[in-house]
Structures are given as C-alpha cells and as structure tokens.
Amino acid sequence: MACTAPRIDTLDDLRRFVSQTICDHEQLEADAYVMTELVLTKSGLPCGRYYCLHGPRATKYSAIWVSDRNTVLFYDSTGERFLKAELEEAHRLELSAA
C-alpha cells in the first residue's frame, strides 16, 4: 500500500509521522512507547534513517526513511512491509540535522 505523507519539514515532524503511523496501524496508544533512531550510511555517507518503535511484550515495529527517494517504508513486527509513504519533493529533509 502506498500513500502521500502530510507536509513534513523537519526531522521532528518525520519522527512524529513515523510514530503516529505505526501506532495507528498497530492500534497502540500514541507516545506510550519508546522509539529509537539510527542514521543509515552508504559508503560512509548518510543515506537515510532507521526508526524502531519498541512496543508491548517486546514487539518491535520499524520504518526506514530513504533520503534519495524521500520515501518512508513501514514494517510490522513480523518484518512485513505494510506501507510506503512518499514525502513531498519540495520539502526534502537534511540528513545532517540531529
């Protein structure tokens, strides 16, 4: 399934979008679980972000933001992709931001 994401201008907006999307899909209470984040690199250069929401009973849900495609791929606890969200090209996020 594919969708167009709401306007996302900052990495904080992206974090909120990822968390809210996973919580909505898995019927979890928003902001009730910890989400970790890693910068992904390719040939030593940043190329995206990996998000992992640590849910109830040690379940993990993940999302990957692919910067060159400006797309977020969402995965459930079994590793199956459930959503591909296209971000607006005009609002590309900077990888170097914290």
Side-chain angles (χ1 to χ4, degrees), residues 4-83:
T4 302
R7 183 178 173 120
I8 294 174
D9 293 320
T10 67
L11 286 173
D12 285 335
D13 292 343
L14 180 59
R15 288 180 195 103
R16 280 190 290 278
F17 171 67
V18 167
S19 179
Q20 189 63 53
T21 301
I22 292 172
C23 288
D24 288 350
H25 182 265
E26 298 296 332
Q27 299 177 341
L28 301 173
E29 186 176 332
D31 300 323
Y33 302 99
V34 174
M35 187 168 70
T36 55
E37 175 181 352
L38 296 170
V39 175
L40 301 176
T41 60
K42 183 176 181 180
S43 300
L45 299 172
C47 64
R49 301 250 173 176
Y50 169 80
Y51 297 93
C52 182
L53 189 121
H54 303 268
R57 298 173 297 285
T59 55
K60 294 180 182 178
Y61 311 95
S62 57
I64 297 173
W65 171 51
V66 183
S67 64
D68 62 341
R69 295 184 183 163
N70 216 20
T71 300
V72 184
L73 306 171
F74 292 90
Y75 300 90
D76 64 18
S77 63
T78 66
E80 185 174 335
R81 187 167 75 190
F82 68 86
L83 181 65

